Amino acid sequence: MKQRSTYLLPALLVLTIFATGCFNNSTSTPIPYPTGTFGGQFRIIHRNATNNKIDTPKKANIQLVLDTGMTYKVLGDTTTVHAGSKGQYGINSVYMRFNDNTYPKTGTPEKIHLYGDYSYGYDGSTLVILAVQGDTLNYRYDLKKVN
């Protein structure tokens, strides 16, 4: 005697409907890459390896200008913590790469430069840029679009 699995038919139908609903989703709008002027705070975030506490000993209010021609510059409080930077940048959906023309060719700079590879998040108005510098040190830019 042959037994039919008719009880699986409704589950298969529901699964098919949900699966096809994921295709051709034309209502979502991709968020554009960040361009324009952004203002906010740069912070050096340090985790104490001994007691595991996080502190932010150094901060600076900066502006980041990202031009559509893939050039950038850092302005604002560049006197103590963060250097004024300018150069070219590249971007994809996850990372930004900054090539700072003012970064010294030899030696270690006294101030932080926006130079190298960073992960980022952008929602159309808020731009967060993060660089992990090891187990206990991060550079974080919390910026809002100005124009």
Side-chain angles (χ1 to χ4, degrees):
M1 187 189 285
K2 195 173 178 184
Q3 185 177 8
R4 293 189 179 190
S5 301
T6 57
Y7 63 91
L8 290 178
L9 187 59
L12 185 59
L13 181 61
V14 168
L15 181 65
T16 304
I17 290 170
F18 282 131
T20 57
C22 294
F23 300 116
N24 296 328
N25 187 355
S26 61
T27 59
S28 63
T29 305
I31 294 176
Y33 289 140
T35 58
T37 302
F38 297 84
Q41 195 170 71
F42 164 75
R43 293 179 293 162
I44 297 174
I45 300 172
H46 175 259
R47 182 180 58 84
N48 186 312
T50 306
N51 63 15
N52 215 21
K53 293 193 179 202
I54 295 178
D55 57 12
T56 55
K58 297 181 181 178
K59 303 175 188 178
N61 291 320
I62 64 163
Q63 281 191 333
L64 173 62
V65 180
L66 298 172
D67 293 325
T68 56
M70 305 309 280
T71 60
Y72 78 98
K73 56 187 166 186
V74 175
L75 309 166
D77 181 8
T78 59
T79 57
T80 57
V81 178
H82 202 291
S85 301
K86 63 181 179 177
Q88 299 77 34
Y89 75 97
I91 190 168
N92 66 23
S93 61
V94 180
Y95 296 104
M96 297 178 87
R97 174 173 284 175
F98 296 93
N99 185 18
D100 185 359
N101 294 339
T102 67
Y103 195 84
K105 302 293 182 207
T106 60
T108 304
E110 291 180 27
K111 296 185 264 183
I112 305 301
H113 287 250
L114 185 55
Y115 179 75
D117 295 329
Y118 295 77
S119 59
Y120 80 97
Y122 181 59
D123 66 2
S125 64
T126 302
L127 175 62
V128 176
I129 303 172
L130 180 66
V132 177
Q133 300 295 315
D135 291 343
T136 62
L137 188 63
N138 293 331
Y139 298 155
R140 183 177 173 121
Y141 299 79
D142 289 302
L143 308 171
K144 292 271 189 196
K145 186 159 180 135
V146 177
N147 67 11

